[in-house]
């Protein structure tokens, strides 16, 4: 039995006790997993106090939903990370500082450049991008394109999440780039 | 592109399973169809993936785990309260009966009009019963002379979660340092945020024993969340 498997089994036993409301198990859970939550809040650049509040919120949420968690269906670390990210994004949303999905420089280069008088603003470019995305892609292709351009996931990460062939990911993105260059002027 | 949550959004366990590939082909098709259209869920997936692959950069602040344990211990020892959402579904919960909060810019003060004072504008009771929809019910708190209007909106953000959102509807004279909090029945503040003209304050109440507190210049007003 490898070390990771042993750790997962140990965690499963603690979670089972926590699901029964045992305080000692919760202490163990907080001791072990606060670092997972802390790591998941890093990318949002919240002030420290805000991050501490988020960590508290995540455990409060966990307290309410722990019975719904099924260890056989996902690792606890993944589940906890998802909860934390959702709380973080909600927090941003609440302040109307939605992490708007701005396009990366690479795609902005392809899109029409802003002109002083009658050109496109960045918002318009994003709208054009979306229009093209909506009309020309299947749902699966659209997901891959958004993962790459809007979420800046790598080919490897996208292939790993979507379980698609690496070459297929490259192909989808290549075809989209060609389409952007070809169709965008007419999409105005 | 704004990140909005829908009733059809995937829950935490579904997103975790998707990230780990522990889903059937049919589920994958459904999940990916949703993810291709929902920027919120996509953001959660992408952010989670990046985080799971990264090594931690910072240590957990000293004392944080102890503070969390202390809060959890207090919750564990309390009697479990039925979930708010179950009460919402049963149609036995409402936000409040009639309430008005008046801000007088000249006096620089708030006053609260309780039910029974019919000289003021009456507000209909806010019932959250009804079919599933994003905005279950909402009402505004009108103030005279268009000084300030606060709106309270109830959103169903997931199948088991509702969110109370408070915002200035006409915020031209919105004072600074207007603090809105979500408190437990015993007065302990769970969340506290300053209301700004272009933002709203969101809470996710979980039980029947919360109230919203509006605090300004050492004056505190409470909007109870109570059963009919």
């Amino acid at each position: 039995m490898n070390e990771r498997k042993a750790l997962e089994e140990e965690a499963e036993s603690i979670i089972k006790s926590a699901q029964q409301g045992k305080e000692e198990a919760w202490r163990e859970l907080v001791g072990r997993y606060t670092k997972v939550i802390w790591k998941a809040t890093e990318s949002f650049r919240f002030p420290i106090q805000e991050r501490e509040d988020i960590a508290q919120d995540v455990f409060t949420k966990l307290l309410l939903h722990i019975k719904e968690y099924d260890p056989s269906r996902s690792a606890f670390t993944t589940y906890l990370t998802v909860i934390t990210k959702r709380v973080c994004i909600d927090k941003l949303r609440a302040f109307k500082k939605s992490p708007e999905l701005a396009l990366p420089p690479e795609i902005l280069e392809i899109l029409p450049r802003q002109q002083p008088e009658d050109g496109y603003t960045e918002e318009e470019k994003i709208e054009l991008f979306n229009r093209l995305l909506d009309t020309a892609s299947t749902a699966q292709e659209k997901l891959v394109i958004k993962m790459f351009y809007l979420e800046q996931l790598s080919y490897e990460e996208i292939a790993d999440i979507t379980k698609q062939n690496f070459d297929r990911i490259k192909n989808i993105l290549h075809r989209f780039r060609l389409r952007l260059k070809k169709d965008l002027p007419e999409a105005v | 592109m704004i990140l909005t949550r829908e009733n059809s959004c995937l829950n935490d366990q579904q997103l975790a399973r998707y990230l780990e590939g522990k889903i059937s082909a049919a589920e994958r098709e459904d999940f990916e169809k949703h993810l291709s259209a929902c920027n919120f869920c996509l953001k959660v997936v992408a952010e989670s993936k990046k985080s799971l692959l990264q090594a931690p950069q910072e240590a957990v602040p000293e004392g944080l785990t102890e503070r969390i344990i202390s809060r959890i211990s207090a919750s564990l020892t309390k009697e479990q309260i039925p979930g708010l959402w179950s009460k919402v579904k049963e149609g036995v919960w409402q936000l409040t009966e009639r309430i008005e909060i008046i801000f007088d810019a000249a006096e620089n003060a708030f006053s609260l009009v309780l039910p029974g004072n019919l000289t003021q504008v009456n507000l209909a009771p806010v019932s959250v019963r009804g079919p599933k929809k994003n905005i279950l019910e909402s009402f505004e708190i009108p103030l005279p002379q268009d000084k300030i209007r606060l709106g309270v909106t109830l959103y169903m953000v997931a199948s088991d979660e509702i969110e109370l959102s408070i915002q200035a509807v006409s915020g031209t004279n919105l004072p600074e340092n207007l603090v809105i909090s979500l408190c437990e029945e015993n007065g302990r503040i769970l969340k506290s945020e300053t209301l700004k003209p272009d933002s709203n304050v969101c809470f996710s109440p979980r039980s029947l024993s919360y109230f919203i507190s509006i605090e300004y210049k050492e004056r505190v007003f409470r909007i109870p969340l109570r059963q009919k």
Side-chain angles (χ1 to χ4, degrees):
Chain A
M1 189 187 296
N2 63 32
E3 192 184 351
R4 189 180 165 178
K5 181 90 178 156
L7 281 170
E8 275 177 16
E9 282 187 4
E10 197 182 352
E12 206 173 310
S13 150
I14 296 165
I15 291 159
K16 209 171 274 179
S17 299
Q19 285 173 325
Q20 292 161 1
K22 291 183 181 166
E23 193 175 336
E24 200 45 48
W26 277 99
R27 286 177 182 276
E28 187 68 32
L29 216 57
V30 174
R32 280 177 181 231
Y33 289 99
T34 300
K35 58 177 183 248
V36 172
I37 295 171
W38 197 250
K39 186 177 80 164
T41 63
E42 275 179 7
S43 63
F44 290 92
R45 297 178 186 175
F46 287 119
I48 294 284
Q49 186 53 51
E50 206 71 57
R51 288 173 66 188
E52 290 207 9
D53 287 349
I54 288 168
Q56 299 256 11
D57 286 351
V58 170
F59 274 108
T60 304
K61 193 167 178 180
L62 194 63
L63 199 63
L64 290 155
H65 293 282
I66 188 82
K67 285 182 183 166
E68 297 158 20
Y69 170 69
D70 179 356
S72 70
R73 310 203 77 175
S74 67
F76 191 64
T77 302
T78 308
Y79 180 61
L80 207 51
T81 300
V82 166
I83 295 178
T84 308
K85 292 294 183 180
R86 193 190 291 276
V87 171
C88 288
I89 296 167
D90 266 342
K91 180 75 91 179
L92 287 173
R93 208 167 55 101
F95 282 108
K96 286 218 172 163
K97 289 178 188 166
S98 279
E100 293 189 10
L101 308 173
L103 299 178
E106 184 190 345
I107 202 85
L108 288 171
E109 277 297 309
I110 304 172
L111 293 167
R113 286 181 181 280
Q114 183 173 359
Q115 299 298 320
E117 288 172 4
D118 57 353
Y120 306 95
T121 63
E122 194 147 317
E123 278 180 359
E124 285 168 338
K125 289 180 183 180
I126 291 171
E127 199 186 317
L128 289 173
F129 174 82
N130 278 330
R131 210 183 305 163
L132 198 60
L133 198 62
D134 281 338
T135 55
S137 305
T138 63
Q140 197 180 59
E141 285 180 355
K142 191 173 163 184
L143 177 62
V144 169
I145 292 162
K146 287 174 88 171
M147 281 180 165
F148 184 78
Y149 283 115
L150 302 185
E151 297 300 338
Q152 280 99 55
L153 289 172
S154 66
Y155 287 7
E156 291 83 359
E157 288 165 343
I158 297 170
D160 189 40
I161 297 172
T162 61
K163 306 297 176 210
Q164 289 181 55
N165 183 292
F166 186 87
D167 288 337
R168 172 154 165 74
I169 305 289
K170 278 173 73 175
N171 191 22
I172 290 171
L173 294 169
H174 177 67
R175 278 190 283 120
F176 183 70
R177 268 189 219 106
L178 293 178
R179 207 153 57 216
L180 266 178
K181 284 178 177 168
K182 178 175 172 287
D183 294 354
L184 204 63
E186 289 78 36
V188 181
Chain B
M1 278 176 281
I2 304 298
L3 300 173
T4 49
R5 290 172 71 174
E6 307 289 344
N7 289 346
S8 57
C9 277
L10 303 175
N11 65 34
D12 296 328
Q13 181 102 55
Q14 286 173 320
L15 291 178
R17 285 172 54 217
Y18 176 69
L19 276 162
E20 295 194 352
K22 291 182 178 175
I23 49 174
S24 67
E27 280 178 315
R28 176 172 293 282
E29 198 179 329
D30 285 349
F31 288 8
E32 292 191 339
K33 192 174 173 191
H34 176 78
L35 287 165
S36 71
C38 175
N39 289 335
F40 186 95
C41 286
L42 177 62
K43 190 87 186 161
V44 175
V45 165
E47 286 286 337
S48 298
K49 183 67 183 176
K50 289 177 202 166
S51 183
L52 288 163
L53 293 173
Q54 279 167 359
Q57 306 289 310
E58 305 162 14
V60 174
E62 203 174 323
L64 177 59
T65 50
E66 288 73 21
R67 287 192 287 280
I68 294 171
I69 286 168
S70 153
R71 185 161 158 183
I72 283 184
S73 299
S75 299
L76 284 170
T77 50
K78 274 170 61 176
E79 194 185 339
Q80 293 291 308
I81 305 162
L84 177 58
W85 178 237
S86 66
K87 294 295 173 192
V88 171
K89 280 198 288 193
E90 289 162 20
V92 295
W93 186 85
Q94 63 181 173
L95 191 60
T96 187
E97 290 178 30
R98 288 179 182 138
I99 197 164
E100 289 177 76
I101 297 167
I102 298 176
F103 175 68
D104 187 330
E107 294 291 324
N108 210 14
F110 277 96
S111 61
L112 183 67
V113 180
L114 294 168
N117 185 343
L118 300 180
T119 60
Q120 301 290 337
V121 176
N122 295 327
L123 295 169
V126 175
S127 166
V128 292
R129 94 174 73 205
K132 280 186 178 181
K133 53 184 175 179
N134 273 351
I135 299 172
L136 290 163
E137 194 59 85
S138 66
F139 71 89
E140 295 171 359
I141 302 167
L143 301 175
Q145 299 157 29
D146 198 26
K147 296 280 175 56
I148 181 176
R149 278 154 63 97
L150 295 180
V152 181
T153 311
L154 197 60
Y155 296 90
M156 195 178 93
V157 292
S159 60
D160 61 347
E161 192 174 345
I162 65 164
E163 182 181 276
L164 275 163
S165 167
I166 302 168
Q167 62 278 319
V169 178
S170 64
T172 49
N173 287 314
L174 192 66
E176 288 181 3
N177 305 321
L178 173 57
V179 177
I180 298 192
S181 312
L182 182 70
C183 310
E184 282 183 338
E185 203 168 32
N186 60 11
R188 193 163 74 95
I189 294 174
L190 295 176
K191 272 191 175 181
S192 202
E193 292 176 12
T194 304
L195 188 65
K196 299 201 173 74
D198 59 346
S199 70
N200 57 5
V201 177
C202 294
F203 304 114
S204 295
R206 291 284 181 182
S207 82
L208 297 174
S209 59
Y210 294 131
F211 63 83
I212 301 164
S213 163
I214 298 177
E215 184 179 344
Y216 181 67
K217 287 188 184 289
E218 297 177 354
R219 298 188 65 178
V220 180
F221 306 104
R222 293 173 167 191
I223 302 177
L225 308 175
R226 59 190 176 209
Q227 282 181 273
K228 280 181 190 172

